[in-house]
Amino acid sequence: MITGYDTVLITGAPVEAGIRSMLDELHGRWPNMLVALGGEQIGPFLPWRKTRAEVPAGAGEVYVARDAEMERRWDDVGYSLMENTEGPFAVLYEFASQSAVEIQLLEDPYERRGFGFEPYPATLVTVGLSLVTIVTPDADSPFSRGLLNALRQALISRTHR
């Protein structure tokens, strides 16, 4: 079953290190966490401690379930919130394939105070950047927002090292 909500991040951080950091923190709450790596095929789902060192550099797919029960139910209910208002999620990442893309700025990137702001077009030079998609159960639940924030923070902390 295909469900879920995709959020795309663009970063210069080493993505695999950010994912490891994010999942290390989540593992404290989910001690039975299972992780599968994707590519040609997904899986098998293994405990995080066994999968951690295998998170691929550069590009990859990481599928995460709280425990064996969540992983078993994933095929039936997809990326949906389950018990404890938590659900499975995935992080897919790759190097940007285009050297530049046209974007629309919705917020003032200069953070000038006192000036009006209207969205405007810009060009994002993506050479050396990675595209990171996190697939969560939805856009608005505290669980999904928390995952997105944890991934953002992990990538930000990796950029500043």
Side-chain angles (χ1 to χ4, degrees):
M1 173 183 286
I2 304 293
T3 61
Y5 183 81
D6 295 3
T7 302
V8 178
L9 306 173
I10 302 170
T11 184
V15 177
E16 68 281 357
I19 291 170
R20 279 192 202 98
S21 176
M22 174 199 180
L23 294 183
D24 283 345
E25 186 173 319
L26 182 60
H27 189 248
R29 277 194 9 236
W30 286 5
N32 298 317
M33 183 169 71
L34 299 175
V35 176
L37 302 177
E40 295 294 316
Q41 67 180 46
I42 298 172
F45 278 86
L46 298 170
W48 173 235
R49 286 188 185 103
K50 292 182 179 179
T51 312
R52 186 182 192 284
E54 303 300 319
V55 174
E61 300 175 6
V62 180
Y63 299 86
V64 184
R66 180 188 59 229
D67 52 28
E69 179 62 23
M70 183 179 281
E71 188 268 321
R72 275 193 296 275
R73 293 184 53 215
W74 198 335
D75 285 338
D76 296 331
V77 298
Y79 291 92
S80 63
L81 295 175
M82 297 181 194
E83 300 81 26
N84 304 318
T85 63
E86 298 174 327
F89 67 95
V91 181
L92 303 90
Y93 55 103
E94 62 186 73
F95 293 114
S97 60
Q98 297 183 53
S99 58
V101 294
E102 298 304 311
I103 62 172
Q104 182 80 10
L105 294 174
L106 302 177
E107 297 177 12
D108 188 348
Y110 299 105
E111 295 187 36
R112 292 178 279 216
R113 308 268 185 240
F115 294 97
F117 178 80
E118 295 215 12
Y120 61 90
T123 300
L124 176 65
V125 177
T126 59
V127 173
L129 300 180
S130 293
L131 304 172
V132 182
T133 302
I134 183 167
V135 184
T136 55
D138 58 20
D140 299 321
S141 70
F143 174 74
S144 294
R145 284 193 318 266
L147 288 175
L148 178 58
N149 288 336
L151 180 58
R152 277 186 192 144
Q153 285 308 117
L155 292 172
I156 289 168
S157 70
R158 295 294 164 187
T159 302
H160 291 18
R161 286 188 173 192

